[in-house]
Amino acid sequence: MTAAPPKPVAPKIGFVSLGCPKALVDSERIITRLRAEGYELSASYEGADAVVVNTCGFLNSAKEESLAAIGEALAENGRVIVTGCLGVEADRIRAAYPDVLAITGPHQYEAVVAEVHKAVPRPHDPFLDLVPPQGVRLTPRHYAYVKISEGCNNMCSFCIIPALRGRLVSRPLGEVMREAERLVAAGVQELLVISQDTSAYGLDLGYAKSAWRGQDHETRFLSLAEALGSLGVWVRLHYVYPYPHVDQVLKLMAEGRVLPYLDIPFQHASPKVLKAMRRPAHQEKTLERIGRWRETCPDLALRSTFIVGFPGETEEDFELLLDWLSEARLSRVGCFKYENVDGARANALPGHVPEEVKEERYDRLMRHQQAISAELLGTRVGKTVEVMVDEVDEGGAVARSHWDAPEIDGNVYLRGETGLKPGDRVSVMVEAADDYDLFARRIDAEVFRPVPVG
Ligand code: SF4
């Protein structure tokens, strides 16, 4: 009897993923492809045959972080392929690190994988069943980002993403929905819709019809929200702009079909600053629109980000922003101090704000919003809400409500609930709140625990 030939050792690739959720989805696609081809992932530099670094090039500080990550991977492993947003600055990377094996740009999946093939020849093992149908994901099993488009047609003066990633390219609705179905079948309980401009979805395709479940659906924001809302899982919408057609989605939120949550990067409230930023929808009367949304869906949580110290921002503009925040009463707010980005038109604007003024405005905005957040969370006390569990330890469960996105918003703490599992959905009574988080107890014994298929 002849012994079976030894199973070939799969080549191992290390992966460093930097940047925003959109870059994370790019990483997931590259890793899915590599795993499908038989490569294994290495958790350490020393165990890897080569390392892919997916970089971020949005802000100068992110570029520095990306360059440092490339340097670390080179020092620890020596065989490094660079991809992602910083990849468009290949000269800069080569000047700092002439030894990198290859450099590719954002969403160049084929090119990255081709470079991996050159560096570490792809394995041949026809017996390996390599990848689950939902692909490889870097998020926990119970939630997943779904990227619905690439690129952006806007021209914000502080941003170079359109130059990095090109103009809007939407994925047909049927393609997005089939990916969403695979994720749900694998046990995902929350789909987080991302893109550069979610409300512009389908514009580039002329809202062309796309088949899903035997019917044609327009590739547009509302149809996608309706279709995702029919899957029975939480659906959260990120990077939406306050265009009039967003109003229609609020009805789906009021009906409980998608989560009553909108992530809208307002960036500022002063018309003068918004104009200088060249923001989409900068002429919209956003406070009136928010008021109408709340009439349709009183439970709505709004998250946003703001830039302080944009060139030309005066004390008056900044105070207008604080007043706007008092009126808008947003649930969650992130804030950035303006910084130049190589290649952005805002660099040349007059009236750059001194660093100490940016710092002071940042602190004032965060303190201002902290009080609003605490007051809003206080209104949740005594309410019954559904939460989803993210983590469980010996002290209890850490969960999130409809009003909280993973990683960026607050938590709901359930003391003593050690029998729950990540992805479980339970009803709780909110007992207390602090500036950012809620504290609650379970009020029913029933746990919605999905059974993954396949
Ligand atoms: S909407 Fe503006 S900030 Fe966002 S990606 Fe497009 S250009 Fe950049």
Side-chain angles (χ1 to χ4, degrees):
M1 198 169 110
T2 37
K7 201 172 163 193
V9 177
K12 289 197 169 61
I13 304 297
F15 212 98
V16 179
S17 186
L18 302 166
C20 61
K22 287 154 273 193
L24 186 76
V25 172
D26 289 350
S27 295
E28 290 175 343
R29 282 200 197 159
I30 297 165
I31 292 171
T32 296
R33 176 73 182 275
L34 293 174
R35 289 285 292 118
E37 293 181 348
Y39 291 92
E40 282 185 6
L41 284 187
S42 170
S44 65
Y45 287 121
E46 60 271 25
D49 297 301
V51 176
V52 177
V53 181
N54 189 7
T55 57
C56 176
F58 184 48
L59 295 174
N60 285 350
S61 48
K63 290 180 186 178
E64 293 305 326
E65 188 192 351
S66 295
L67 284 170
I70 296 166
E72 182 181 298
L74 271 173
E76 298 287 330
N77 181 279
R79 310 193 75 224
V80 175
I81 296 162
V82 178
T83 189
C85 288
L86 189 62
V88 296
E89 295 189 38
D91 292 347
R92 181 172 177 183
I93 297 170
R94 286 246 176 258
Y97 302 112
D99 293 339
V100 292
L101 297 177
I103 300 170
T104 68
H107 57 267
Q108 293 183 343
Y109 315 114
E110 301 295 326
V112 185
V113 171
E115 293 301 338
V116 172
H117 293 164
K118 279 192 225 159
V120 187
R122 56 185 293 191
H124 296 283
D125 187 345
F127 302 111
L128 285 175
D129 180 14
L130 300 162
V131 187
Q134 74 278 14
V136 176
R137 290 186 293 111
L138 301 175
T139 43
R141 193 182 169 86
H142 61 287
Y143 64 82
Y145 295 103
V146 179
K147 196 181 200 178
I148 60 171
S149 61
E150 293 279 7
C152 179
N153 287 352
N154 299 315
M155 309 249 292
C156 303
S157 57
F158 55 83
C159 176
I160 55 165
I161 282 182
L164 289 178
R165 299 197 158 230
R167 288 178 66 76
L168 178 73
V169 180
S170 302
R171 299 170 64 200
L173 182 139
E175 185 185 313
V176 176
M177 289 310 301
R178 282 185 283 281
E179 178 185 338
E181 284 177 317
R182 285 194 295 274
L183 291 167
V184 173
V188 164
Q189 278 299 296
E190 179 174 3
L191 298 169
L192 300 122
V193 174
I194 57 165
S195 70
Q196 307 296 344
D197 181 354
T198 295
S199 32
Y201 175 62
L203 182 69
D204 53 307
L205 300 176
Y207 309 114
K209 294 205 166 136
S210 172
W212 177 61
R213 290 187 176 170
Q215 283 193 333
D216 280 343
H217 301 259
E218 281 187 324
T219 295
R220 69 162 75 228
F221 181 49
L222 179 63
S223 326
L224 180 69
E226 280 170 343
L228 289 169
S230 70
L231 296 180
V233 298
W234 284 12
V235 176
R236 195 178 293 283
L237 303 172
H238 289 278
Y239 313 118
V240 175
Y241 288 96
Y243 296 121
H245 70 272
V246 173
D247 297 3
Q248 299 162 315
V249 173
L250 268 291
K251 295 194 191 91
L252 303 182
M253 295 181 178
E255 290 161 10
R257 292 157 74 187
V258 300
L259 292 178
Y261 179 99
L262 272 179
D263 176 5
I264 303 183
F266 286 113
Q267 306 299 16
H268 215 283
S270 154
K272 188 190 96 199
V273 176
L274 287 170
K275 193 156 174 240
M277 288 178 166
R278 305 188 64 168
R279 291 294 289 163
H282 72 263
Q283 296 110 329
E284 299 292 332
K285 294 194 168 48
T286 44
L287 282 176
E288 285 173 23
R289 172 143 284 125
I290 290 172
R292 283 202 298 280
W293 287 346
R294 288 196 171 123
E295 277 168 26
T296 310
C297 180
D299 217 14
L300 178 68
L302 288 170
R303 139 166 282 277
S304 191
T305 48
F306 294 88
I307 297 173
V308 293
F310 190 78
E313 182 195 62
T314 59
E315 176 62 23
E316 195 183 357
D317 293 317
F318 178 68
E319 281 176 15
L320 195 149
L321 170 57
L322 294 186
D323 291 347
W324 187 95
L325 284 169
S326 298
E327 277 202 61
R329 294 167 61 77
L330 306 182
S331 308
R332 304 287 180 187
V333 164
C335 183
F336 299 93
K337 287 167 268 181
Y338 172 81
E339 58 177 271
N340 278 346
V341 175
D342 291 345
R345 277 162 306 160
N347 304 356
L349 287 174
H352 276 254
V353 176
E355 285 306 316
E356 61 274 16
V357 177
K358 289 183 200 168
E359 196 69 49
E360 187 246 353
R361 287 181 186 164
Y362 174 88
D363 289 341
R364 273 164 75 196
L365 188 144
M366 292 313 280
R367 275 202 310 277
H368 187 84
Q369 178 60 31
Q370 189 176 2
I372 296 170
S373 170
E375 195 189 318
L376 285 174
L377 285 180
T379 66
R380 309 285 193 203
V381 175
K383 299 227 163 84
T384 302
V385 293
E386 186 191 39
V387 298
M388 184 178 302
V389 175
D390 277 336
E391 286 171 40
V392 183
D393 61 21
E394 62 284 355
V398 183
R400 278 179 298 110
S401 71
H402 294 174
W403 311 301
D404 300 304
E407 310 286 338
I408 51 174
D409 293 334
N411 291 314
V412 181
Y413 291 95
L414 307 175
R415 189 140 37 104
E417 292 292 347
T418 53
L420 294 170
K421 293 192 167 51
D424 283 350
R425 279 153 58 177
V426 290
S427 288
V428 302
M429 164 74 78
V430 180
E431 294 186 315
D434 65 15
D435 290 348
Y436 300 110
D437 298 312
L438 296 174
F439 303 84
R441 73 179 154 79
R442 257 173 87 183
I443 53 168
D444 65 2
E446 202 183 328
V447 177
F448 180 77
R449 182 171 293 166
V451 182
V453 186

